[in-house]
């Protein structure tokens, strides 16, 4: 299968290893991955902050870039959630019904990584090997907007050598929320403290999730406390094999 990678702004800027891991994983499974170099921000930050009109050119550009591809994947529940639940609405608010229809078509072919693997490619064992104690944080957008349910956990349970540890209060937000962490820093920090407490209670060496944004927030907190527990994206774990 030929798959277009929508790498997302945050992965491109601060976690490029996530994009590389996604490519490594999908190519190992026998698929061709292409990277449309004209891609930019999907506009999620603008929409979530109330700048819907300013988001319209970004939506238009995203649609034009990814329209030629039959399958699109992003290692981010947050950005896929924006493509699927915001793009057509932004176009309609701008009075462009044609763009809204095109956006809906692209959205229908856009998948978060675990969705692509389990629902589209029909695979739960990707041949990964990761000999560490790991706990999984289900990010808010993947859990509530995309409803990926236990797909990431089904993939993780098939990783050889790994001990998967249940995270207490897993469905509680980590406090990042994009610009929420900037506008409501005190509340965000308190939520992060709760999440870190629960991560550390598991005894895990690694906290994983499907969004680099939440992992940056959680990992930054864990690093500042010098806990020794680190954050690693789901794609990086699934891309690791005994030969890695």
């Amino acid at each position: 299968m030929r798959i277009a990678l929508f790498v997302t702004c945050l992965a491109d800027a601060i976690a490029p290893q996530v994009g590389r891991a996604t490519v490594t994983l999908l190519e190992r499974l026998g698929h061709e991955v292409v990277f449309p170099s004209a891609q930019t921000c999907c506009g999620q930050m603008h929409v979530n902050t109330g700048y819907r009109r300013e988001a319209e050119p970004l939506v238009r550009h995203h649609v034009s870039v990814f329209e030629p591809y039959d399958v699109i994947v992003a290692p981010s529940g947050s950005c896929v959630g924006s493509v699927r639940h915001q793009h057509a609405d932004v176009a309609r608010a701008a009075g462009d019904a044609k763009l809204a229809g095109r956006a809906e078509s692209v959205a229908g072919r856009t998948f978060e990584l675990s969705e692509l693997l389990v629902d589209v490619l029909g695979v739960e064992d990707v041949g990964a090997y990761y000999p560490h104690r790991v706990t999984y944080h289900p990010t808010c957008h993947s859990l509530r907007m995309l409803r990926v349910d236990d797909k990431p956990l089904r993939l993780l349970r098939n990783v050889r050598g790994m001990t998967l540890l249940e995270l207490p209060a897993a469905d509680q937000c980590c406090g990042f929320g994009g610009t929420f962490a900037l506008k409501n820093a005190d509340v965000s920090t308190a939520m992060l403290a709760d999440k870190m407490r629960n991560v550390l209670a598991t005894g895990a060496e690694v906290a994983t999730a499907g969004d680099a944004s939440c992992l940056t927030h959680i990992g930054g907190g864990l690093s500042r406390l010098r806990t020794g527990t680190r954050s690693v994206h789901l794609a990086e774990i699934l891309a690791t094999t005994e030969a890695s």
Side-chain angles (χ1 to χ4, degrees):
M1 183 180 290
R2 189 167 183 256
I3 303 168
L5 173 62
F6 166 36
V7 76
T8 77
C9 295
L10 199 144
D12 181 54
I14 67 172
Q17 73 277 6
V18 174
R20 290 195 294 267
T22 302
V23 174
T24 297
L25 170 62
L26 293 175
E27 288 184 342
R28 190 176 76 231
L29 294 174
H31 303 283
E32 178 189 1
V33 183
V34 295
F35 180 78
S37 59
Q39 62 182 280
T40 60
C41 176
C42 67
Q44 178 191 178
M45 180 175 66
H46 302 68
V47 178
N48 290 352
T49 314
Y51 293 93
R52 295 176 69 87
R53 184 172 59 187
E54 289 78 3
E56 188 269 337
L58 293 168
V59 170
R60 184 178 301 278
H61 182 71
H62 182 92
V63 168
S64 68
V65 168
F66 286 100
E67 208 165 26
Y69 301 98
D70 293 331
V71 178
I72 302 135
V73 66
S76 166
S78 177
C79 294
V80 172
S82 179
V83 169
R84 212 179 278 174
H85 295 283
Q86 294 178 339
H87 278 196
D89 286 347
V90 168
R92 278 190 286 267
D96 194 332
K98 183 177 179 180
L99 176 61
R102 292 169 61 205
E104 287 176 343
S105 178
V106 170
R109 306 193 300 274
T110 303
F111 302 92
E112 180 267 343
L113 181 59
S114 72
E115 288 182 315
L116 177 75
L117 292 168
V118 175
D119 292 341
V120 180
L121 303 182
V123 60
E124 294 185 14
D125 186 344
V126 299
Y129 173 77
Y130 196 76
H132 300 284
R133 299 188 309 278
V134 177
T135 193
Y136 169 71
H137 164 63
T139 64
C140 291
H141 284 105
S142 66
L143 186 68
R144 296 173 174 85
M145 288 184 74
L146 297 183
R147 300 190 183 279
V148 301
D149 298 319
D150 68 340
K151 294 180 185 71
L153 288 170
R154 284 153 67 181
L155 291 160
L156 288 169
R157 288 181 187 124
N158 282 293
V159 175
R160 291 164 182 78
M162 193 180 76
T163 301
L164 184 60
L165 303 163
E166 184 176 355
L167 180 65
D171 62 347
Q172 290 184 6
C173 178
C174 72
F176 178 66
T179 55
F180 174 86
L182 302 176
K183 293 183 174 183
N184 303 276
D186 290 344
V187 177
S188 172
T189 300
M191 295 170 74
L192 173 62
D194 288 342
K195 181 59 64 175
M196 290 192 298
R197 186 180 304 111
N198 287 328
V199 167
L200 294 174
T202 67
E205 302 168 73
V206 170
T208 192
D211 279 85
S213 52
C214 300
L215 287 173
T216 299
H217 190 55
I218 296 169
L222 292 171
S223 175
R224 286 190 295 274
L225 293 178
R226 300 182 180 181
T227 62
T229 302
R230 55 200 174 94
S231 61
V232 178
H233 194 281
L234 174 67
E236 296 177 81
I237 292 176
L238 297 180
T240 303
T241 65
E242 289 189 71
S244 298

